[in-house]
Amino acid sequence: MSNRLLALVFCAPLVVACGEDPAGATGDPVDCGPEVTEVDVDVSITTNSVFFDWSPRCRVAMLIVEEGAGDVWAIGNEDSNSIEPPVTYGVAPAGVEEYGPEPLVAGRAYEVILWMTSAEGDRLLAVHPFTRPSSDSY
């Protein structure tokens, strides 16, 4: 077998494993390693709910929703990355601590913040702004 072919055979799985979304667009959440320094957050808003999803689909230690400098909802575990996407605002996954939630007011600006913990320390992965639209915006 040529060196080029050997390189392709051994490197192809690494390229797939290190892609933008290690679990795939709809795959099960994974523990992301130190190479993941930020995630892209998607906020979906319906008449009755707000949903948070992110890519890569890493488990996180804390999810916080802030208005200005104040928390309106926070969930998390300081010791482990146990929050898996997607998350519905106001619905805390089993086994995590919760603060709030306060109602999200139409027309107000908020931020969702994601933190991850690792042996190297805690890391901020995302700060994503969103606005709760008025009910006539749906």
Side-chain angles (χ1 to χ4, degrees):
M1 200 179 273
S2 75
N3 287 344
R4 224 178 243 182
L5 184 55
L6 279 173
L8 284 174
V9 169
F10 288 111
C11 292
L14 295 175
V15 172
V16 172
C18 294
E20 184 176 322
D21 189 352
T26 59
D28 292 331
V30 296
D31 289 326
C32 288
E35 74 281 357
V36 177
T37 57
E38 64 181 75
V39 298
D40 293 321
V41 177
D42 180 45
V43 179
S44 302
I45 302 173
T46 66
T47 305
N48 298 318
S49 299
V50 176
F51 305 95
F52 306 106
D53 203 351
W54 53 92
S55 176
R57 297 178 63 78
C58 298
R59 293 178 189 96
V60 298
M62 296 184 73
L63 182 150
I64 303 164
V65 177
E66 290 186 345
E67 180 184 19
D71 296 349
V72 295
W73 187 52
I75 56 173
N77 268 331
E78 292 182 15
D79 301 331
S80 68
N81 298 311
S82 56
I83 301 169
E84 299 182 348
V87 172
T88 303
Y89 182 82
V91 180
V96 301
E97 295 181 32
E98 178 179 34
Y99 164 82
E102 296 178 16
L104 297 177
V105 179
R108 290 196 183 164
Y110 299 94
E111 290 180 327
V112 60
I113 301 167
L114 299 176
W115 285 90
M116 178 181 194
T117 190
S118 71
E120 294 81 31
D122 295 342
R123 289 185 285 153
L124 175 66
L125 292 178
V127 177
H128 183 82
F130 69 97
T131 300
R132 176 75 189 224
S134 62
S135 58
D136 58 348
S137 300
Y138 297 100

